[in-house]
Amino acid sequence: MYLTIDTARAETAYRQERIKREFGRATARRQRREQASQSEPRHARRALRPTPAA
């Protein structure tokens, strides 16, 4: 499959970079999901206050 040692090295480097990139994306996605679940609760009373008529 590989023609030379250089192409084998290039293919290996490409795969390692792709794995590293995917791992970084998965970590960031997990952190965003955790932050979203820990968001502060909204105050229900604020929405129930009367607003001035336009």
Side-chain angles (χ1 to χ4, degrees):
M1 180 175 162
Y2 296 116
L3 299 176
T4 64
I5 293 175
D6 290 333
T7 56
R9 287 181 183 151
E11 183 72 20
T12 303
Y14 170 75
R15 288 180 182 173
Q16 287 177 345
E17 283 294 320
R18 200 171 71 192
I19 291 169
K20 187 169 36 171
R21 204 176 318 127
E22 287 298 320
F23 180 77
R25 287 180 187 162
T27 304
R29 196 178 306 128
R30 189 179 324 115
Q31 288 174 350
R32 282 195 305 266
R33 193 178 316 130
E34 288 173 359
Q35 273 186 342
S37 66
Q38 293 176 356
S39 63
E40 296 181 13
R42 296 185 181 191
H43 298 288
R45 290 180 160 241
R46 173 175 267 168
L48 296 176
R49 290 184 184 157
T51 56

